[in-house]
């Protein structure tokens, strides 16, 4: 994070389980794209009062890691500044696995 007073950032995955899993899959696909590939998402940031800010357009860019490989950089506008967050492929895969596990444990909550 590069901006003071921002404690948490979010991007919108979708309204349903299927939409969320599809969004996660599309984000995972970004790791196979060229460096500097950019995509936009709807997102929000939480401030020091832990209140979600207004919806913003979040820019996601595929960037090269220092020691090789790729990761995703998310830029959240905050006035004239930007908050920066990074997402590794392994973290995103863990999120997907947790989501699928929750679907198996609580199928009634994830009805279509």
């Amino acid at each position: 994070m590069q901006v003071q007073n921002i404690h948490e950032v979010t991007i919108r995955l979708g309204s349903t389980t299927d939409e969320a899993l599809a969004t996660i899959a599309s984000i995972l696909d970004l790791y196979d794209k060229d460096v500097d590939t950019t995509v936009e998402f709807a997102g929000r940031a939480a401030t020091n009062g832990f209140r979600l800010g207004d919806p913003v357009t979040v820019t996601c860019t595929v960037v090269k890691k220092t020691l090789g490989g790729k990761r995703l950089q998310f830029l959240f506008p905050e006035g004239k500044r930007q908050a920066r967050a990074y997402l590794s492929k392994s973290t995103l895969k863990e999120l997907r696995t947790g989501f699928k596990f929750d679907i198996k444990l609580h199928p009634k909550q994830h009805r279509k």
Side-chain angles (χ1 to χ4, degrees):
M1 251 337 144
Q2 302 296 320
V3 178
Q4 284 185 325
N5 300 328
I6 290 187
H7 294 282
E8 187 173 325
V9 292
T10 65
I11 60 168
R12 187 174 191 288
L13 296 178
S15 300
T16 65
T17 301
D18 289 340
E19 287 176 5
L21 287 171
T23 302
I24 291 170
S26 70
I27 295 171
L28 276 169
D29 290 343
L30 289 173
Y31 289 96
D32 296 328
K33 303 289 184 187
D34 294 331
V35 172
D36 293 330
T37 298
T38 301
V39 179
E40 292 182 340
F41 293 96
R44 298 171 92 174
T47 62
N48 57 355
F50 295 103
R51 294 182 182 175
L52 281 177
D54 293 330
V56 295
T57 299
V58 179
T59 303
C60 173
T61 305
V62 179
V63 296
K64 189 175 182 178
K65 290 179 13 182
T66 306
L67 299 176
K70 299 174 188 173
R71 65 180 173 173
L72 301 179
Q73 172 183 269
F74 292 84
L75 296 176
F76 290 78
E78 176 64 25
K80 294 182 181 180
R81 305 173 295 173
Q82 291 182 330
R84 184 173 298 153
Y86 293 94
L87 181 62
S88 68
K89 191 173 187 178
S90 61
T91 300
L92 191 56
K93 284 183 174 183
E94 287 175 21
L95 175 64
R96 181 183 61 184
T97 300
F99 219 121
K100 288 181 178 182
F101 188 68
D102 191 65
I103 291 167
K104 287 184 181 187
L105 284 177
H106 310 286
K108 290 181 182 180
Q109 292 178 1
H110 299 281
R111 288 185 189 160
K112 296 180 182 182

